[in-house]
PDB file of all heavy atoms in Angstrom:
ATOM      1  N   ILE A 244    -100.145  43.086   6.941  1.00 97.00           N
ATOM      2  CA  ILE A 244    -101.245  43.796   6.299  1.00 97.00           C
ATOM      3  C   ILE A 244    -101.450  45.092   7.075  1.00 97.00           C
ATOM      4  O   ILE A 244    -101.659  45.080   8.288  1.00 97.00           O
ATOM      5  CB  ILE A 244    -102.525  42.947   6.292  1.00 97.00           C
ATOM      6  CG1 ILE A 244    -102.269  41.622   5.556  1.00 97.00           C
ATOM      7  CG2 ILE A 244    -103.666  43.713   5.629  1.00 97.00           C
ATOM      8  CD1 ILE A 244    -103.451  40.674   5.555  1.00 97.00           C
ATOM      9  N   LEU A 245    -101.365  46.223   6.348  1.00 96.00           N
ATOM     10  CA  LEU A 245    -101.390  47.537   6.977  1.00 96.00           C
ATOM     11  C   LEU A 245    -102.409  48.435   6.295  1.00 96.00           C
ATOM     12  O   LEU A 245    -102.593  48.374   5.075  1.00 96.00           O
ATOM     13  CB  LEU A 245    -100.004  48.190   6.905  1.00 96.00           C
ATOM     14  CG  LEU A 245     -98.867  47.352   7.480  1.00 96.00           C
ATOM     15  CD1 LEU A 245     -97.742  47.232   6.480  1.00 96.00           C
ATOM     16  CD2 LEU A 245     -98.352  47.935   8.774  1.00 96.00           C
ATOM     17  N   ASP A 246    -103.062  49.259   7.092  1.00 96.00           N
ATOM     18  CA  ASP A 246    -104.007  50.237   6.562  1.00 96.00           C
ATOM     19  C   ASP A 246    -103.254  51.202   5.637  1.00 96.00           C
ATOM     20  O   ASP A 246    -102.292  51.848   6.053  1.00 96.00           O
ATOM     21  CB  ASP A 246    -104.642  51.007   7.732  1.00 96.00           C
ATOM     22  CG  ASP A 246    -105.788  51.901   7.304  1.00 96.00           C
ATOM     23  OD1 ASP A 246    -105.651  52.590   6.270  1.00 96.00           O
ATOM     24  OD2 ASP A 246    -106.809  51.943   8.008  1.00 96.00           O
ATOM     25  N   ALA A 247    -103.699  51.310   4.382  1.00 96.00           N
ATOM     26  CA  ALA A 247    -102.975  52.141   3.414  1.00 96.00           C
ATOM     27  C   ALA A 247    -103.089  53.627   3.725  1.00 96.00           C
ATOM     28  O   ALA A 247    -102.223  54.404   3.323  1.00 96.00           O
ATOM     29  CB  ALA A 247    -103.493  51.864   2.007  1.00 96.00           C
ATOM     30  N   LEU A 248    -104.122  54.052   4.447  1.00 94.00           N
ATOM     31  CA  LEU A 248    -104.298  55.466   4.763  1.00 94.00           C
ATOM     32  C   LEU A 248    -103.464  55.896   5.960  1.00 94.00           C
ATOM     33  O   LEU A 248    -102.835  56.954   5.943  1.00 94.00           O
ATOM     34  CB  LEU A 248    -105.779  55.778   5.020  1.00 94.00           C
ATOM     35  CG  LEU A 248    -106.707  55.654   3.811  1.00 94.00           C
ATOM     36  CD1 LEU A 248    -108.150  55.942   4.222  1.00 94.00           C
ATOM     37  CD2 LEU A 248    -106.274  56.609   2.702  1.00 94.00           C
ATOM     38  N   SER A 249    -103.442  55.073   6.996  1.00 93.00           N
ATOM     39  CA  SER A 249    -102.769  55.454   8.247  1.00 93.00           C
ATOM     40  C   SER A 249    -101.454  54.730   8.483  1.00 93.00           C
ATOM     41  O   SER A 249    -100.661  55.140   9.327  1.00 93.00           O
ATOM     42  CB  SER A 249    -103.700  55.192   9.438  1.00 93.00           C
ATOM     43  OG  SER A 249    -103.946  53.795   9.580  1.00 93.00           O
ATOM     44  N   GLY A 250    -101.212  53.624   7.776  1.00 94.00           N
ATOM     45  CA  GLY A 250    -100.028  52.811   8.044  1.00 94.00           C
ATOM     46  C   GLY A 250    -100.199  51.918   9.259  1.00 94.00           C
ATOM     47  O   GLY A 250     -99.278  51.205   9.654  1.00 94.00           O
ATOM     48  N   GLN A 251    -101.405  51.928   9.879  1.00 95.00           N
ATOM     49  CA  GLN A 251    -101.665  51.158  11.090  1.00 95.00           C
ATOM     50  C   GLN A 251    -101.552  49.652  10.813  1.00 95.00           C
ATOM     51  O   GLN A 251    -102.027  49.155   9.797  1.00 95.00           O
ATOM     52  CB  GLN A 251    -103.053  51.478  11.622  1.00 95.00           C
ATOM     53  CG  GLN A 251    -103.454  50.662  12.848  1.00 95.00           C
ATOM     54  CD  GLN A 251    -104.915  50.858  13.234  1.00 95.00           C
ATOM     55  OE1 GLN A 251    -105.582  51.724  12.694  1.00 95.00           O
ATOM     56  NE2 GLN A 251    -105.405  50.048  14.158  1.00 95.00           N
ATOM     57  N   PHE A 252    -100.935  48.951  11.735  1.00 96.00           N
ATOM     58  CA  PHE A 252    -100.817  47.499  11.656  1.00 96.00           C
ATOM     59  C   PHE A 252    -102.193  46.872  11.850  1.00 96.00           C
ATOM     60  O   PHE A 252    -102.897  47.164  12.811  1.00 96.00           O
ATOM     61  CB  PHE A 252     -99.846  47.022  12.748  1.00 96.00           C
ATOM     62  CG  PHE A 252     -99.737  45.531  12.882  1.00 96.00           C
ATOM     63  CD1 PHE A 252     -98.926  44.805  12.024  1.00 96.00           C
ATOM     64  CD2 PHE A 252    -100.428  44.861  13.874  1.00 96.00           C
ATOM     65  CE1 PHE A 252     -98.815  43.423  12.148  1.00 96.00           C
ATOM     66  CE2 PHE A 252    -100.321  43.484  14.013  1.00 96.00           C
ATOM     67  CZ  PHE A 252     -99.507  42.763  13.142  1.00 96.00           C
ATOM     68  N   LEU A 253    -102.585  45.992  10.916  1.00 96.00           N
ATOM     69  CA  LEU A 253    -103.874  45.317  11.012  1.00 96.00           C
ATOM     70  C   LEU A 253    -103.723  43.865  11.444  1.00 96.00           C
ATOM     71  O   LEU A 253    -104.438  43.401  12.321  1.00 96.00           O
ATOM     72  CB  LEU A 253    -104.616  45.402   9.678  1.00 96.00           C
ATOM     73  CG  LEU A 253    -104.938  46.817   9.178  1.00 96.00           C
ATOM     74  CD1 LEU A 253    -105.624  46.761   7.826  1.00 96.00           C
ATOM     75  CD2 LEU A 253    -105.796  47.567  10.191  1.00 96.00           C
ATOM     76  N   THR A 254    -102.796  43.149  10.822  1.00 95.00           N
ATOM     77  CA  THR A 254    -102.544  41.765  11.226  1.00 95.00           C
ATOM     78  C   THR A 254    -101.277  41.264  10.559  1.00 95.00           C
ATOM     79  O   THR A 254    -100.683  41.934   9.707  1.00 95.00           O
ATOM     80  CB  THR A 254    -103.735  40.853  10.862  1.00 95.00           C
ATOM     81  OG1 THR A 254    -103.633  39.625  11.563  1.00 95.00           O
ATOM     82  CG2 THR A 254    -103.770  40.552   9.374  1.00 95.00           C
ATOM     83  N   LEU A 255    -100.869  40.066  10.962  1.00 95.00           N
ATOM     84  CA  LEU A 255     -99.673  39.431  10.418  1.00 95.00           C
ATOM     85  C   LEU A 255     -99.988  37.968  10.154  1.00 95.00           C
ATOM     86  O   LEU A 255    -100.591  37.288  10.994  1.00 95.00           O
ATOM     87  CB  LEU A 255     -98.510  39.570  11.413  1.00 95.00           C
ATOM     88  CG  LEU A 255     -97.151  38.986  11.035  1.00 95.00           C
ATOM     89  CD1 LEU A 255     -96.039  39.858  11.619  1.00 95.00           C
ATOM     90  CD2 LEU A 255     -97.001  37.567  11.565  1.00 95.00           C
ATOM     91  N   LEU A 256     -99.599  37.464   8.985  1.00 96.00           N
ATOM     92  CA  LEU A 256     -99.826  36.075   8.612  1.00 96.00           C
ATOM     93  C   LEU A 256     -98.481  35.352   8.560  1.00 96.00           C
ATOM     94  O   LEU A 256     -97.549  35.787   7.886  1.00 96.00           O
ATOM     95  CB  LEU A 256    -100.535  35.995   7.256  1.00 96.00           C
ATOM     96  CG  LEU A 256    -101.849  36.778   7.148  1.00 96.00           C
ATOM     97  CD1 LEU A 256    -102.436  36.640   5.748  1.00 96.00           C
ATOM     98  CD2 LEU A 256    -102.850  36.326   8.199  1.00 96.00           C
ATOM     99  N   ASN A 257     -98.403  34.230   9.298  1.00 95.00           N
ATOM    100  CA  ASN A 257     -97.148  33.492   9.466  1.00 95.00           C
ATOM    101  C   ASN A 257     -97.221  32.184   8.680  1.00 95.00           C
ATOM    102  O   ASN A 257     -98.060  31.336   8.957  1.00 95.00           O
ATOM    103  CB  ASN A 257     -96.928  33.207  10.958  1.00 95.00           C
ATOM    104  CG  ASN A 257     -95.622  32.497  11.244  1.00 95.00           C
ATOM    105  OD1 ASN A 257     -94.961  31.992  10.345  1.00 95.00           O
ATOM    106  ND2 ASN A 257     -95.237  32.465  12.506  1.00 95.00           N
ATOM    107  N   PRO A 258     -96.318  31.966   7.700  1.00 93.00           N
ATOM    108  CA  PRO A 258     -96.402  30.770   6.858  1.00 93.00           C
ATOM    109  C   PRO A 258     -96.102  29.459   7.582  1.00 93.00           C
ATOM    110  O   PRO A 258     -96.421  28.390   7.068  1.00 93.00           O
ATOM    111  CB  PRO A 258     -95.361  31.043   5.770  1.00 93.00           C
ATOM    112  CG  PRO A 258     -94.383  31.964   6.407  1.00 93.00           C
ATOM    113  CD  PRO A 258     -95.203  32.842   7.304  1.00 93.00           C
ATOM    114  N   LYS A 259     -95.502  29.531   8.759  1.00 89.00           N
ATOM    115  CA  LYS A 259     -95.168  28.292   9.469  1.00 89.00           C
ATOM    116  C   LYS A 259     -96.246  27.869  10.461  1.00 89.00           C
ATOM    117  O   LYS A 259     -96.103  26.844  11.130  1.00 89.00           O
ATOM    118  CB  LYS A 259     -93.822  28.449  10.184  1.00 89.00           C
ATOM    119  CG  LYS A 259     -92.642  28.580   9.230  1.00 89.00           C
ATOM    120  CD  LYS A 259     -91.309  28.436   9.937  1.00 89.00           C
ATOM    121  CE  LYS A 259     -91.028  26.981  10.277  1.00 89.00           C
ATOM    122  NZ  LYS A 259     -89.649  26.770  10.762  1.00 89.00           N
ATOM    123  N   THR A 260     -97.314  28.631  10.566  1.00 87.00           N
ATOM    124  CA  THR A 260     -98.413  28.265  11.455  1.00 87.00           C
ATOM    125  C   THR A 260     -99.255  27.166  10.810  1.00 87.00           C
ATOM    126  O   THR A 260     -99.591  27.241   9.631  1.00 87.00           O
ATOM    127  CB  THR A 260     -99.295  29.490  11.750  1.00 87.00           C
ATOM    128  OG1 THR A 260     -98.491  30.503  12.354  1.00 87.00           O
ATOM    129  CG2 THR A 260    -100.432  29.132  12.680  1.00 87.00           C
ATOM    130  N   ASP A 261     -99.588  26.155  11.589  1.00 80.00           N
ATOM    131  CA  ASP A 261    -100.339  25.014  11.053  1.00 80.00           C
ATOM    132  C   ASP A 261    -101.803  25.357  10.780  1.00 80.00           C
ATOM    133  O   ASP A 261    -102.407  24.838   9.841  1.00 80.00           O
ATOM    134  CB  ASP A 261    -100.268  23.819  12.018  1.00 80.00           C
ATOM    135  CG  ASP A 261     -98.853  23.268  12.138  1.00 80.00           C
ATOM    136  OD1 ASP A 261     -98.085  23.409  11.157  1.00 80.00           O
ATOM    137  OD2 ASP A 261     -98.517  22.716  13.201  1.00 80.00           O
ATOM    138  N   THR A 262    -102.371  26.203  11.614  1.00 82.00           N
ATOM    139  CA  THR A 262    -103.789  26.528  11.445  1.00 82.00           C
ATOM    140  C   THR A 262    -103.990  27.491  10.277  1.00 82.00           C
ATOM    141  O   THR A 262    -103.097  28.271   9.923  1.00 82.00           O
ATOM    142  CB  THR A 262    -104.337  27.183  12.726  1.00 82.00           C
ATOM    143  OG1 THR A 262    -103.540  28.331  13.037  1.00 82.00           O
ATOM    144  CG2 THR A 262    -104.280  26.214  13.889  1.00 82.00           C
ATOM    145  N   ALA A 263    -105.174  27.433   9.672  1.00 80.00           N
ATOM    146  CA  ALA A 263    -105.491  28.311   8.548  1.00 80.00           C
ATOM    147  C   ALA A 263    -105.532  29.763   9.010  1.00 80.00           C
ATOM    148  O   ALA A 263    -106.024  30.068  10.108  1.00 80.00           O
ATOM    149  CB  ALA A 263    -106.828  27.908   7.938  1.00 80.00           C
ATOM    150  N   GLN A 264    -104.990  30.629   8.207  1.00 90.00           N
ATOM    151  CA  GLN A 264    -104.967  32.048   8.531  1.00 90.00           C
ATOM    152  C   GLN A 264    -105.623  32.832   7.405  1.00 90.00           C
ATOM    153  O   GLN A 264    -105.439  32.526   6.229  1.00 90.00           O
ATOM    154  CB  GLN A 264    -103.532  32.536   8.691  1.00 90.00           C
ATOM    155  CG  GLN A 264    -102.754  31.833   9.800  1.00 90.00           C
ATOM    156  CD  GLN A 264    -101.298  32.246   9.736  1.00 90.00           C
ATOM    157  OE1 GLN A 264    -100.896  33.262  10.283  1.00 90.00           O
ATOM    158  NE2 GLN A 264    -100.499  31.456   9.031  1.00 90.00           N
ATOM    159  N   PHE A 265    -106.384  33.837   7.792  1.00 95.00           N
ATOM    160  CA  PHE A 265    -107.001  34.695   6.780  1.00 95.00           C
ATOM    161  C   PHE A 265    -107.286  36.050   7.402  1.00 95.00           C
ATOM    162  O   PHE A 265    -107.285  36.223   8.624  1.00 95.00           O
ATOM    163  CB  PHE A 265    -108.301  34.079   6.250  1.00 95.00           C
ATOM    164  CG  PHE A 265    -109.396  33.991   7.275  1.00 95.00           C
ATOM    165  CD1 PHE A 265    -110.307  35.029   7.445  1.00 95.00           C
ATOM    166  CD2 PHE A 265    -109.515  32.867   8.096  1.00 95.00           C
ATOM    167  CE1 PHE A 265    -111.310  34.951   8.394  1.00 95.00           C
ATOM    168  CE2 PHE A 265    -110.518  32.789   9.050  1.00 95.00           C
ATOM    169  CZ  PHE A 265    -111.419  33.830   9.200  1.00 95.00           C
ATOM    170  N   PHE A 266    -107.546  37.011   6.524  1.00 96.00           N
ATOM    171  CA  PHE A 266    -107.930  38.347   6.970  1.00 96.00           C
ATOM    172  C   PHE A 266    -108.867  38.925   5.921  1.00 96.00           C
ATOM    173  O   PHE A 266    -108.549  38.949   4.729  1.00 96.00           O
ATOM    174  CB  PHE A 266    -106.705  39.248   7.142  1.00 96.00           C
ATOM    175  CG  PHE A 266    -107.028  40.596   7.722  1.00 96.00           C
ATOM    176  CD1 PHE A 266    -107.314  40.729   9.068  1.00 96.00           C
ATOM    177  CD2 PHE A 266    -107.055  41.725   6.917  1.00 96.00           C
ATOM    178  CE1 PHE A 266    -107.621  41.971   9.611  1.00 96.00           C
ATOM    179  CE2 PHE A 266    -107.356  42.972   7.450  1.00 96.00           C
ATOM    180  CZ  PHE A 266    -107.635  43.098   8.807  1.00 96.00           C
ATOM    181  N   ALA A 267    -110.048  39.361   6.360  1.00 97.00           N
ATOM    182  CA  ALA A 267    -111.033  39.946   5.457  1.00 97.00           C
ATOM    183  C   ALA A 267    -111.237  41.409   5.825  1.00 97.00           C
ATOM    184  O   ALA A 267    -111.402  41.741   7.007  1.00 97.00           O
ATOM    185  CB  ALA A 267    -112.355  39.182   5.532  1.00 97.00           C
ATOM    186  N   THR A 268    -111.227  42.282   4.825  1.00 97.00           N
ATOM    187  CA  THR A 268    -111.300  43.712   5.108  1.00 97.00           C
ATOM    188  C   THR A 268    -111.991  44.466   3.976  1.00 97.00           C
ATOM    189  O   THR A 268    -112.008  44.021   2.822  1.00 97.00           O
ATOM    190  CB  THR A 268    -109.888  44.298   5.323  1.00 97.00           C
ATOM    191  OG1 THR A 268    -109.988  45.679   5.675  1.00 97.00           O
ATOM    192  CG2 THR A 268    -109.041  44.157   4.063  1.00 97.00           C
ATOM    193  N   LYS A 269    -112.562  45.629   4.318  1.00 97.00           N
ATOM    194  CA  LYS A 269    -113.113  46.535   3.313  1.00 97.00           C
ATOM    195  C   LYS A 269    -112.188  47.729   3.105  1.00 97.00           C
ATOM    196  O   LYS A 269    -112.504  48.639   2.330  1.00 97.00           O
ATOM    197  CB  LYS A 269    -114.498  47.023   3.737  1.00 97.00           C
ATOM    198  CG  LYS A 269    -114.511  47.857   5.014  1.00 97.00           C
ATOM    199  CD  LYS A 269    -115.923  48.282   5.379  1.00 97.00           C
ATOM    200  CE  LYS A 269    -115.942  49.113   6.657  1.00 97.00           C
ATOM    201  NZ  LYS A 269    -117.329  49.494   7.061  1.00 97.00           N
ATOM    202  N   LYS A 270    -111.053  47.732   3.794  1.00 96.00           N
ATOM    203  CA  LYS A 270    -110.108  48.848   3.705  1.00 96.00           C
ATOM    204  C   LYS A 270    -109.149  48.663   2.534  1.00 96.00           C
ATOM    205  O   LYS A 270    -108.947  47.558   2.039  1.00 96.00           O
ATOM    206  CB  LYS A 270    -109.298  48.956   5.001  1.00 96.00           C
ATOM    207  CG  LYS A 270    -110.113  49.333   6.221  1.00 96.00           C
ATOM    208  CD  LYS A 270    -109.228  49.497   7.438  1.00 96.00           C
ATOM    209  CE  LYS A 270    -110.036  49.984   8.634  1.00 96.00           C
ATOM    210  NZ  LYS A 270    -109.181  50.158   9.839  1.00 96.00           N
ATOM    211  N   SER A 271    -108.547  49.768   2.135  1.00 97.00           N
ATOM    212  CA  SER A 271    -107.424  49.696   1.214  1.00 97.00           C
ATOM    213  C   SER A 271    -106.179  49.422   2.050  1.00 97.00           C
ATOM    214  O   SER A 271    -105.937  50.095   3.062  1.00 97.00           O
ATOM    215  CB  SER A 271    -107.274  51.008   0.450  1.00 97.00           C
ATOM    216  OG  SER A 271    -108.349  51.178  -0.453  1.00 97.00           O
ATOM    217  N   VAL A 272    -105.402  48.435   1.634  1.00 97.00           N
ATOM    218  CA  VAL A 272    -104.290  47.977   2.473  1.00 97.00           C
ATOM    219  C   VAL A 272    -103.011  47.805   1.654  1.00 97.00           C
ATOM    220  O   VAL A 272    -103.049  47.617   0.433  1.00 97.00           O
ATOM    221  CB  VAL A 272    -104.632  46.631   3.165  1.00 97.00           C
ATOM    222  CG1 VAL A 272    -105.798  46.783   4.121  1.00 97.00           C
ATOM    223  CG2 VAL A 272    -104.917  45.536   2.131  1.00 97.00           C
ATOM    224  N   TYR A 273    -101.899  47.889   2.359  1.00 98.00           N
ATOM    225  CA  TYR A 273    -100.621  47.442   1.818  1.00 98.00           C
ATOM    226  C   TYR A 273    -100.391  46.016   2.317  1.00 98.00           C
ATOM    227  O   TYR A 273    -100.576  45.731   3.509  1.00 98.00           O
ATOM    228  CB  TYR A 273     -99.474  48.336   2.279  1.00 98.00           C
ATOM    229  CG  TYR A 273     -99.445  49.689   1.602  1.00 98.00           C
ATOM    230  CD1 TYR A 273     -99.722  50.851   2.318  1.00 98.00           C
ATOM    231  CD2 TYR A 273     -99.140  49.805   0.246  1.00 98.00           C
ATOM    232  CE1 TYR A 273     -99.701  52.086   1.708  1.00 98.00           C
ATOM    233  CE2 TYR A 273     -99.121  51.043  -0.376  1.00 98.00           C
ATOM    234  CZ  TYR A 273     -99.403  52.178   0.362  1.00 98.00           C
ATOM    235  OH  TYR A 273     -99.388  53.412  -0.249  1.00 98.00           O
ATOM    236  N   ILE A 274    -100.000  45.140   1.410  1.00 98.00           N
ATOM    237  CA  ILE A 274     -99.640  43.772   1.782  1.00 98.00           C
ATOM    238  C   ILE A 274     -98.142  43.642   1.556  1.00 98.00           C
ATOM    239  O   ILE A 274     -97.666  43.685   0.415  1.00 98.00           O
ATOM    240  CB  ILE A 274    -100.421  42.747   0.953  1.00 98.00           C
ATOM    241  CG1 ILE A 274    -101.928  42.921   1.197  1.00 98.00           C
ATOM    242  CG2 ILE A 274     -99.986  41.326   1.305  1.00 98.00           C
ATOM    243  CD1 ILE A 274    -102.801  41.967   0.406  1.00 98.00           C
TER     244      ILE A 274
END
Side-chain angles (χ1 to χ4, degrees):
I244 301 177
L245 305 128
D246 189 316
L248 293 178
S249 66
Q251 177 188 351
F252 174 81
L253 299 178
T254 195
L255 181 146
L256 305 179
N257 182 347
K259 293 192 76 171
T260 301
D261 294 332
T262 56
Q264 300 172 85
F265 66 90
F266 185 75
T268 183
K269 64 181 180 182
K270 294 183 175 180
S271 291
V272 296
Y273 286 111
I274 299 179

